[in-house]
Amino acid sequence: MSDRKPAGEFLDAAIELLRQVRDEEAGSIEAAGTLLADTVQNGGRLFAFGAGHSSLPAQDVVYRAGGLALMNLLTVPGVVGVDVMPATLGSALERVDGLASAVLDSSPLRAGDTLVIISLSGRNALPVEMAVHARALGVRVIGVTSVAYASETSSRHASGTFLKDHCDIVLDSRIAVGDAELTLDTVPAPFAPASTVVTSALMQATLATAAATLADRGVEPPLLRSGNVDGGHDWNRRVLEEYADRIFYRR
C-alpha cells in the first residue's frame, strides 16, 4: 500500500465540504428552517423524500430522537432505499414519467404542507416531477441537491429542467458530479462518496434551525427524545398523541 492515507483524505474532504455548506449555505439553511417552523406553527405537516441512497438522509430525520416528530417519510414503492430486488430497479423507476404525480395524488400531502425532496443529481424525472406537482398542490418545496449537476449533465425530465428549478428553497450540497472524493493510480475508478454525510448534515442543520426558531417564537418544538433514556417513552407518547393528526408513520 502507498504512503497515502485514504481514510484521512476522505475525512478531510468531508470536513471541507461541511465547511463549505456551513459558510456558503447558511442563508438557505436559515430560510429552510424558518419555512419548516412556519409550517409547524401554521398547522401544516412535514414530509421528506429521497430515492435510492438519497433516501438515507430523509429517513434519518423521521421518528428520530432529537428530531421533529412531525417529519414524515414520503415513500414511493421500489425507490426508497436499496431493499428492492433487483436494486437496479430503483434507479430505473426514478426515470419513469408520471410516477411522482400518481404517488402525490394518493398521498396525504395537502396545501400548506412542506416537502423536502433530496436528490443528489436532481436530473431524473421523479424528483423534478415531484417538485412540480407538489407546488401545484400548494405544497412548499425544499430541494436538497448538488447544483453542479445542472451545468455538467443533462436533465432526464421532458422539460429539460432540474429539481433546483422547481423549489421554493434550494440547499446545495456542493458535491462534485460523480460523488467520489478520492482517486488512486491503482484504483480504476474514483471512490469514497460523501453525499450522505453532507446531505444528512444539511438536513439536521435545517431541523435544528426550525426547532430553535419555534422556541424563539414561544412555541414548544415537537421534538422526540431517545427511548433509551429515563422518561423518554412517556415524553414521546405525549408528543405523538398531541400531534397525532399530523403524524403518518404510526398508521
Side-chain angles (χ1 to χ4, degrees):
M1 187 173 178
S2 69
D3 292 334
R4 292 180 61 180
K5 303 295 183 184
E9 290 181 6
F10 171 76
L11 292 171
D12 287 343
I15 290 169
E16 179 56 32
L17 284 164
L18 290 171
R19 287 193 181 116
Q20 286 185 38
V21 298
R22 179 196 64 191
D23 298 339
E24 299 173 24
E25 294 299 307
S28 296
I29 293 170
E30 183 71 23
T34 300
L35 175 54
L36 295 185
D38 292 343
T39 304
V40 171
Q41 193 169 7
N42 294 333
R45 293 86 58 82
L46 308 178
F47 294 84
F49 167 78
H53 289 95
S54 288
S55 176
L56 297 177
Q59 295 182 55
D60 189 49
V61 295
V62 176
Y63 190 53
R64 179 65 188 264
L68 291 176
L70 273 61
M71 185 61 76
N72 300 278
L73 187 66
L74 179 65
T75 59
V76 177
V79 305
V80 181
V82 293
D83 56 337
V84 61
M85 294 296 290
T88 51
L89 176 60
S91 298
L93 289 173
E94 288 187 67
R95 305 174 190 177
V96 174
D97 292 330
L99 179 58
S101 296
V103 168
L104 287 177
D105 287 342
S106 60
S107 78
L109 270 98
R110 66 188 185 194
D113 293 345
T114 294
L115 170 63
V116 182
I117 302 176
I118 303 170
S119 173
L120 176 60
S121 73
R123 68 188 298 223
N124 287 312
L126 183 58
V128 175
E129 181 185 329
M130 184 170 288
V132 171
H133 196 64
R135 294 179 85 187
L137 294 173
V139 174
R140 302 291 296 276
V141 174
I142 299 170
V144 188
T145 187
S146 170
V147 172
Y149 276 83
S151 59
E152 299 182 37
T153 69
S154 58
S155 171
R156 289 177 175 147
H157 187 258
S159 67
T161 60
F162 288 75
L163 169 62
K164 73 175 187 64
D165 300 316
H166 304 284
C167 299
D168 296 282
I169 299 168
V170 174
L171 300 179
D172 186 358
S173 64
R174 310 281 168 155
I175 298 295
V177 173
D179 192 16
E181 295 300 319
L182 302 183
T183 58
L184 279 174
D185 292 340
T186 54
V187 178
F191 60 103
S195 60
T196 303
V197 174
V198 177
T199 304
S200 291
L202 277 169
M203 291 293 291
Q204 294 296 349
T206 299
L207 266 66
T209 300
T213 300
L214 286 168
D216 288 344
R217 297 173 179 177
V219 178
E220 180 185 324
L223 296 169
L224 295 172
R225 290 187 172 183
S226 171
N228 295 314
V229 299
D230 291 344
H233 287 300
D234 291 336
W235 173 280
N236 291 342
R237 188 178 300 110
R238 175 184 67 83
V239 173
L240 293 173
E241 289 176 356
E242 181 176 351
Y243 292 94
D245 61 328
R246 292 195 262 173
I247 295 172
F248 299 92
Y249 50 80
R250 301 183 71 199
R251 303 177 184 178

